Amino acid sequence: MKCHRVNELIELIHPEWKKEPELNLMQFIVKLVEETKYEGKLEDLTDDVLIYHLKMRNSEKTEMIPGLAKDQEDDFKTAILRARGLL
C-alpha cells in the first residue's frame, strides 16, 4: 500500500469506527469485510475494497460510485466527443 492509500483508508475508517467503539480494529475490519460480501481470505482483501465500501457505506443503494460519477455524461454525443478528446 502506498502512503496516500493508507492515509485515505485511515480518514475513511476513523469516523465509522468511532460509531462502534466497543469493537477493536480487527473486529471492525471483519465487520466491514462481511458487509462487502467478500468471500476470499482476509489477507487477500485489497485496500480498494475497503476504501470503496467505506465511501459508499452510508449512501443510498442507487447512488453512483464516486469514481464513476465524475466521468458520467448525460448524453451519448458529449460522451463520445469527450472520449475522443474533442471536448
Side-chain angles (χ1 to χ4, degrees), residues 13 17 20-32:
I13 207 168
W17 188 18
E20 301 184 46
E22 72 281 359
L23 300 178
N24 67 42
L25 180 59
M26 285 309 300
Q27 290 171 326
F28 187 67
I29 290 174
V30 168
K31 180 178 180 172
L32 292 174

Side-chain angles (χ1 to χ4, degrees), residues 1 4 8 11 19-20 28 34 45-47 51-52 55 61 64 74:
M1 239 193 253
H4 72 280
E8 183 177 13
E11 287 173 13
K19 294 176 186 174
E20 301 184 46
F28 187 67
E34 289 170 353
L45 183 73
T46 65
D47 54 321
I51 288 170
Y52 278 104
K55 284 182 176 182
K61 298 291 181 195
M64 189 175 290
D74 291 330

Side-chain angles (χ1 to χ4, degrees), residues 55-69:
K55 284 182 176 182
M56 300 299 293
R57 189 172 193 223
N58 298 315
S59 63
E60 295 294 322
K61 298 291 181 195
T62 57
E63 193 172 322
M64 189 175 290
I65 297 171
L68 298 177

Side-chain angles (χ1 to χ4, degrees), residues 30-80:
V30 168
K31 180 178 180 172
L32 292 174
V33 171
E34 289 170 353
E35 288 175 6
T36 67
K37 308 284 192 250
Y38 179 78
E39 295 181 0
K41 296 181 195 173
L42 188 58
E43 61 266 20
D44 294 334
L45 183 73
T46 65
D47 54 321
D48 290 329
V49 172
L50 288 175
I51 288 170
Y52 278 104
H53 178 63
L54 286 163
K55 284 182 176 182
M56 300 299 293
R57 189 172 193 223
N58 298 315
S59 63
E60 295 294 322
K61 298 291 181 195
T62 57
E63 193 172 322
M64 189 175 290
I65 297 171
L68 298 177
K70 67 178 178 60
D71 296 326
Q72 181 183 357
E73 295 294 341
D74 291 330
D75 66 281
F76 185 73
K77 182 179 176 183
T78 303
I80 292 293

